Amino acid sequence: MTDATTTDLYEVTMAMSYLREGMDQPATFSLFVRDLPPERGFLVAAGLEPSLDYLSRLHVGPEDVRDFAATLHRPEGELQELLAMEFQGDVRAVPEGRLVFAGEPLMEVTAPLPQAQFVETYLLGQVCHQTVVASKAARCVMAAAGRPVVDFSLRRTHGPQAGFQAARVSAMVGFAGTSNVAAAAELGIPGSGTMAHSYVEAFPSEEEAFRAFARAHPGPVTFLVDTYDTDLGVRTAARVLADIRRGEGCAVRLDSGDLGALAHRARGILDRAGLAEVRIVASGGLDEYSVDELVRGGAPIDVYAVGTKVGTAADAPYLDAAYKLVQYAGRPVMKLSSAKATAPAPKQVFRGPGGRDVVGLDGEEPPDGGEPLLRSVMVGGRRTGPPDDLAAARARFEADLASLPETARRIRGPHPPPRPAVSPRLAALTARTRNEIEEVVRRTLARSRRRPPEDGAS
């Protein structure tokens, strides 16, 4: 499989048809989210960097044409128009880490129509998955209220690539580490891991397991203490930790049961053993809701390790997102479908004080000195600058989060739907384009009513 075949079949057939019809004028597509998922007051833009990597290396080769032909059950010769197609367009996008809301373009792609259409599925997949996971992870950071949160999601995400993406975007919004070795090594994210219950079960006793683990790890260690009896496991861990005296950084991990009550008892056991520096790590099906409850309940938990529910964005695993044509050959276009109408023309999002956003036309003056969010990131198929890094994205996230209204920061709703305003120029163009399209539809319907019935029709 190549980058070119990571697409949807209908994009292949549309691109081929456009080429045959000579429809290769510049087209602009807008990628946006129609509505926020339940219990969400914001989204965190993510997935741009891998999207730009894909666009910059996209090339349809002979093997791709063979795959397209085999899938369509058509001769290869009928798909030769696609051979050697590359992305040669422009991209404007909201940088990763910025907070965004429903109805705002996260990305706009302008390229010859076949190219801009061909990349739809890949861009939607990258931006939607990573944005929804980044948004879930950001809420965990908020719920932890300054306590470290680490990513334990790899074994439960929908494949290794999804796990890598989860580790990356979690670090982008403030996670302190990851258990994902590939992400830690490639991205420079601090590694964070411990032992499994199987490790403890493999030894005749918990104490032997803990001591063996300590012998294998000369630095700080974290012992999983709830394989059998949690209180007894904490006492055993305390005894071993008191013997080895590894200093700060050592911890015990609670992975099941009433984590708040267990953490209180564990803290007492550790403190009575003179191990006030030993931290308590909690894991086991945690997400922002359970972390928020534990923090508000005063649980003496120092580190939260989140996995399944965050890496899969379990309560809202998808976005109601779209990638829609808004202009072709200089002509604004829009969709009029009920409940799914779109606005025409390339756009810009202007952010004003207090996170108040206005969606306007690309090129218009910012209202009230608003900051334009979409930036030029690719021109002629080439990046406009070096790849962004996690530190810069994290700084953008933290700055936006600090200015977010309290109503949007709530872990639990209600969240008033934060939809942006529309600039007068965009509103006027939308009304004019709608009227023009509706007039074409009326004329077409009138002609169809006047058309004589075909032979044999009653």
Side-chain angles (χ1 to χ4, degrees):
M1 183 178 68
T2 68
D3 289 332
T5 55
T6 308
T7 188
D8 201 291
L9 195 58
Y10 85 104
E11 288 155 12
V12 176
T13 55
M14 286 192 293
M16 183 176 64
S17 177
Y18 290 146
L19 289 167
R20 289 188 175 184
E21 297 297 324
M23 297 176 65
D24 58 358
Q25 294 300 301
T28 298
F29 283 79
S30 183
L31 193 161
F32 62 96
V33 177
R34 292 191 180 96
D35 294 295
L36 295 184
E39 300 258 340
R40 298 291 191 273
F42 63 88
L43 295 173
V44 181
L48 175 60
E49 284 302 308
S51 295
L52 296 180
D53 287 343
Y54 161 78
L55 293 174
S56 63
R57 66 175 181 257
L58 178 63
H59 177 83
V60 177
E63 69 279 11
D64 302 314
V65 172
R66 286 196 295 270
D67 289 342
F68 297 153
T71 306
L72 289 166
H73 305 289
R74 300 175 68 173
E76 288 183 31
E78 293 187 9
L79 288 96
Q80 289 302 305
E81 292 96 336
L82 298 173
L83 186 63
M85 185 173 73
E86 297 179 342
F87 183 79
Q88 300 169 326
D90 305 339
V91 179
R92 294 181 306 113
V94 177
E96 290 190 306
R98 298 301 306 257
L99 302 192
V100 292
F101 305 100
E104 300 179 348
L106 281 74
M107 174 187 294
E108 290 205 332
V109 175
T110 301
L113 180 58
Q115 298 174 24
Q117 186 80 73
F118 188 85
V119 300
E120 174 180 355
T121 292
Y122 194 95
L123 297 182
L124 276 170
Q126 290 290 326
V127 172
C128 290
H129 173 250
Q130 294 183 60
T131 294
V132 78
V133 174
S135 306
K136 180 80 169 174
R139 286 162 54 82
C140 290
V141 172
M142 292 163 53
R147 298 161 184 82
V149 183
V150 296
D151 162 51
F152 272 22
S153 68
L154 178 58
R155 65 183 62 189
R156 298 294 179 82
T157 55
H158 301 308
Q161 183 184 40
F164 184 94
Q165 292 171 352
R168 177 180 176 273
V169 299
S170 296
M172 187 178 77
V173 298
F175 274 32
T178 181
S179 64
N180 189 321
V181 174
E186 184 171 334
L187 303 174
I189 304 170
S192 178
T194 174
M195 60 177 65
H197 292 292
S198 57
Y199 182 87
V200 176
E201 294 166 352
F203 289 83
S205 70
E206 280 183 306
E207 181 164 346
E208 290 174 86
F210 294 163
R211 291 190 183 279
F213 194 77
R215 287 193 293 272
H217 297 274
V221 290
T222 299
F223 295 147
L224 181 60
V225 294
D226 67 339
T227 303
Y228 305 119
D229 178 276
T230 302
D231 289 351
L232 179 59
V234 176
R235 293 190 194 98
T236 302
R239 186 165 57 251
V240 174
L241 290 168
D243 287 346
I244 64 175
R245 288 294 175 184
R246 294 287 174 83
E248 293 188 3
C250 290
V252 297
R253 178 162 70 98
L254 306 172
D255 190 55
S256 58
D258 184 339
L259 295 175
L262 290 170
H264 278 289
R265 297 209 298 270
R267 186 72 271 159
I269 294 169
L270 294 169
D271 289 350
R272 287 191 295 274
L275 297 170
E277 77 281 1
V278 173
R279 299 185 299 173
I280 296 175
V281 178
S283 61
L286 297 178
D287 61 6
E288 72 270 38
Y289 303 111
S290 49
V291 171
D292 182 61
E293 289 178 3
L294 289 165
V295 170
R296 289 180 182 275
I301 294 170
D302 302 291
V303 180
Y304 290 94
V306 298
T308 303
K309 293 182 180 180
V310 178
T312 62
D315 67 320
Y318 68 92
L319 292 176
D320 181 17
Y323 179 87
K324 295 301 180 184
L325 181 67
V326 296
Q327 181 167 286
Y328 176 61
R331 173 174 58 89
V333 300
M334 63 185 296
K335 179 179 175 181
L336 300 184
S337 303
S338 176
K340 289 190 175 182
T342 58
K347 301 171 191 68
Q348 179 59 269
V349 181
F350 302 102
R351 177 151 297 166
R356 292 188 296 272
D357 289 357
V358 176
V359 178
L361 294 172
D362 180 37
E364 73 172 278
E365 287 298 313
D368 300 323
E371 174 198 8
L373 294 191
L374 278 82
R375 305 295 177 88
S376 175
V377 293
M378 181 169 276
V379 174
R382 297 182 178 275
R383 287 176 177 264
T384 57
D388 204 5
D389 59 40
L390 287 177
R394 183 167 175 170
R396 289 190 289 266
F397 165 73
E398 292 173 349
D400 277 4
L401 188 63
S403 64
L404 192 68
E406 181 59 33
T407 53
R409 294 169 62 95
R410 294 171 181 159
I411 299 302
R412 295 188 183 275
H415 295 101
R419 300 197 71 89
V422 175
S423 75
R425 286 186 59 191
L426 176 56
L429 178 62
T430 300
R432 186 165 64 251
T433 305
R434 175 186 287 273
N435 291 337
E436 291 171 356
I437 295 173
E438 288 177 343
E439 178 60 29
V440 171
V441 171
R442 282 193 292 269
R443 289 200 301 267
T444 302
L445 287 173
R447 284 197 301 270
S448 68
R449 293 190 186 104
R450 294 194 299 268
R451 186 177 301 129
E454 297 179 2
D455 291 343
S458 58

